[in-house]
Amino acid sequence: MEAGNNFKQWKKQCLSKVDFSKKGSVDEDIKNIVSFINDCHNYFTTSSCSGRIILINGESDNTEVQKQNCSWLFVTHQKCQKEDVLAGLRKACGDAVFKFEPFVLHVQCKQLEDAQLLHSVAVNSGFRNSGITVGKKGKIIMAVRSTHCLEVPLSHKGQVLVQEEYIDYVVQVANQKIEENQKRIERFHSCLLAAVGAGEAFSKGRVEETKAEPVYTRRRKRGQEKTDSKNASPVQDDVILQNDDEDSLESGLHLFCLETY
């Protein structure tokens, strides 16, 4: 019970916080995914990016990976043109690096079983670098990640190191990767609705069943008062039908897992 209360508190705090990302909002291509996850009882998102092509300007002669010391020369969540990159390079004074970063999503899960289900969805959608971590306070985070990245240095101390033909080539590669990234996002969304959506429907069914139990009890008592066995049988039929619904939903979830593996 305590773990469940902690999860509710963490979710409330996270979703009520201000978005401190540079964009300040969820990317358009994954709004439906983020909204669906945050509406689920056992999940909420902590960070996300739909994927992007970016040109960053880092400090020269700095061997450490320091994100804080980098400035963005150009960024887009869609396809780009060679001219966009060239315009960014003209503003570079350090080491400019051209990158493609795929879709990433961090989701906090209520239980380990919830994280394992989401991990299965991610891996079978093409995000094979996904993983689960458990923090000291019991926070369970499932990260949706992929390995189809791209990172190419283009300048050093403001001096461009490559010809325009090469820049045109890496732009084409990045655009191909962003197309594949979008396809994987769509697959992830479909699998998410099939797996987690079914689980949410099952949970709601259990809640409705719990609320309906007193009604069955009253019906049964009325039947007993009349001492008529025929009046009691419909009550038993109602209960059996509800159990059948649960079995069919569990079977559907089992079939989904078999198909994905």
Side-chain angles (χ1 to χ4, degrees), residues 82 86 162-169:
K82 178 183 68 175
L86 292 174
V162 297
Q163 297 179 347
E164 286 191 20
E165 289 80 5
Y166 183 74
I167 295 175
D168 184 54
Y169 170 71

Side-chain angles (χ1 to χ4, degrees), residues 53-94:
I53 295 174
I54 183 171
L55 182 67
I56 61 174
N57 184 54
E59 292 184 355
S60 300
D61 302 324
N62 188 353
T63 57
E64 297 181 2
V65 179
Q66 295 182 351
K67 189 175 181 180
Q68 296 88 342
N69 296 328
C70 295
S71 60
W72 292 8
L73 300 172
F74 167 76
V75 62
T76 179
H77 296 276
Q78 308 297 328
K79 292 182 180 180
C80 71
Q81 303 294 327
K82 178 183 68 175
E83 289 72 23
D84 299 325
V85 180
L86 292 174
L89 282 174
R90 285 193 285 269
K91 297 182 289 183
C93 57

